[in-house]
């Protein structure tokens, strides 16, 4: 919700993480699927973690791309100054209207730079960037997108941050050159899973599926359609690291 041509409900509360995870379940219901495979990157990964915590019976497998378990993220944000520094924009997004205006200025220059300066060279083509700009230009889209961050700060309850062990078979794929998230968050997230593995891509950034699309597609296909947690292999035969 809030992005591109999706619906854009009014008010920050409409973007609380409880609403976002319920959207996923509602989509599965609409498709008449009791259990689904779920993959998510960044915010999509955070929502996937939430679905796995609150509706594990609706998931058969899950793949997370560069998104920390919420409990790990909370711990790092309160104890790791380096992660606090990297997450400065979350606080900036709490301001009214100003983030939207700056993001849209000069033809969405800030958004384009956020993609191109933190990814592998050539990961985003000119056509890709035009598609992003068209999505950002949709009426109400920027406010809807930024409201995800506003709601995260305003409407996260203490009980929502209580660590919950993820039982769903999970593969975490992590680009180690992430400029927004510390690489240690990947292994820290494994601590909250009972059946998970981590595959780290040394030369990929936060935008791992854009930087290494063939490798990521293989990792998705292998895990969701063929392999299983703890039994897979990383790129070029490098073993994926299972949870302890």
């Amino acid at each position: 919700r809030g992005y591109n041509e999706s619906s854009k409900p009014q008010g920050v509360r409409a973007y609380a993480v409880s609403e976002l995870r319920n959207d996923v379940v509602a989509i599965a219901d609409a498709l008449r699927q009791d259990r689904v495979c779920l993959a998510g990157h960044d915010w999509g990964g955070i929502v996937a973690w939430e679905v796995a915590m609150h509706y594990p019976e609706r998931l058969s497998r899950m793949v997370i791309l560069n998104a920390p378990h919420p409990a790990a993220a909370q711990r790092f944000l309160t104890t790791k100054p380096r992660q606090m520094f990297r997450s400065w924009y979350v606080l900036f997004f709490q301001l009214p209207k100003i983030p939207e205006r700056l993001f849209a200025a000069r033809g969405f220059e800030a958004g384009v730079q956020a993609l191109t300066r933190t990814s592998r060279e050539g990961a985003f083509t000119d056509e890709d960037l035009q598609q992003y700009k068209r999505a950002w230009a949709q009426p109400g889209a920027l406010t809807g997108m930024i409201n995800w961050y506003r709601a995260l700060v305003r409407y996260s309850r203490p009980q929502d941050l209580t660590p919950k062990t993820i039982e769903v078979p999970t593969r975490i794929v992590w680009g180690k050159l992430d400029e927004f998230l510390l690489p240690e968050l990947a292994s820290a997230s494994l601590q909250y899973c009972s059946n998970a593995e981590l595959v780290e891509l040394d030369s990929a950034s936060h935008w791992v599926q854009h930087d290494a699309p063939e490798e990521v597609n293989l990792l998705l296909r292998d895990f969701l359609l063929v392999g299983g947690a703890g039994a897979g292999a990383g790129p070029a035969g490098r073993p994926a690291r299972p949870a302890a």
Side-chain angles (χ1 to χ4, degrees):
R1 61 176 64 192
Y3 282 76
N4 202 5
E5 297 181 356
S6 296
S7 60
K8 301 169 183 65
Q10 297 295 307
V12 175
R13 186 179 290 274
Y15 298 86
V17 71
S18 57
E19 300 291 342
L20 305 176
R21 68 182 181 235
N22 288 343
D23 283 348
V24 176
V25 176
I27 291 171
D29 288 342
L31 296 173
R32 299 182 180 180
Q33 298 295 317
D34 293 332
R35 302 179 72 196
V36 299
C37 292
L38 189 59
H41 167 258
D42 187 72
W43 254 116
I46 293 174
V47 174
W49 284 119
E50 287 283 337
V51 175
M53 285 191 287
H54 293 272
Y55 303 103
E57 72 281 0
R58 302 303 302 271
L59 301 181
S60 55
R61 291 177 180 272
M62 181 171 71
V63 177
I64 300 291
L65 309 177
N66 280 69
H69 185 284
Q74 176 68 11
R75 176 158 57 90
F76 273 57
L77 282 170
T78 55
T79 62
K80 304 286 186 182
R82 288 189 300 147
Q83 186 56 56
M84 298 176 199
F85 178 77
R86 293 190 183 200
S87 300
W88 66 269
Y89 57 91
V90 176
L91 293 179
F92 172 69
F93 284 159
Q94 303 309 308
L95 298 174
K97 298 183 180 180
I98 294 175
E100 286 95 324
R101 291 174 181 172
L102 291 179
F103 195 98
R106 297 182 296 276
F108 302 104
E109 181 180 355
V112 170
Q113 294 298 322
L115 297 175
T116 57
R117 286 187 176 179
T118 60
S119 61
R120 182 184 289 176
E121 184 176 358
F124 294 93
T125 67
D126 289 340
E127 177 57 27
D128 291 334
L129 296 174
Q130 289 303 316
Q131 292 284 0
Y132 274 99
K133 289 181 181 181
R134 281 192 282 270
W136 295 332
Q138 294 294 324
L142 287 184
T143 295
M145 293 159 52
I146 295 173
N147 276 348
W148 285 51
Y149 295 92
R150 291 171 175 144
L152 180 68
V153 172
R154 299 182 197 181
Y155 299 114
S156 292
R157 301 169 298 174
Q159 57 267 38
D160 291 334
L161 299 175
T162 302
K164 297 179 181 178
T165 301
I166 303 297
E167 305 289 348
V168 177
T170 300
R171 170 173 281 180
I172 302 173
V173 179
W174 201 275
K176 293 182 67 176
L177 301 182
D178 195 320
E179 294 191 19
F180 304 102
L181 301 168
L182 292 175
E184 303 95 291
L185 276 166
S187 56
S189 296
L190 282 177
Q191 300 173 17
Y192 301 98
C193 303
S194 65
N195 185 12
E197 62 185 23
L198 169 63
V199 181
E200 296 174 302
L201 302 185
D202 295 337
S203 59
S205 72
H206 178 74
W207 315 103
V208 59
Q209 73 274 32
H210 291 276
D211 287 339
E214 294 183 1
E215 288 178 286
V216 171
N217 283 341
L218 178 62
L219 290 167
L220 286 166
R221 185 171 64 248
D222 170 63
F223 185 73
L224 297 179
L225 301 181
V226 182
R238 179 162 54 90
R241 184 149 58 87

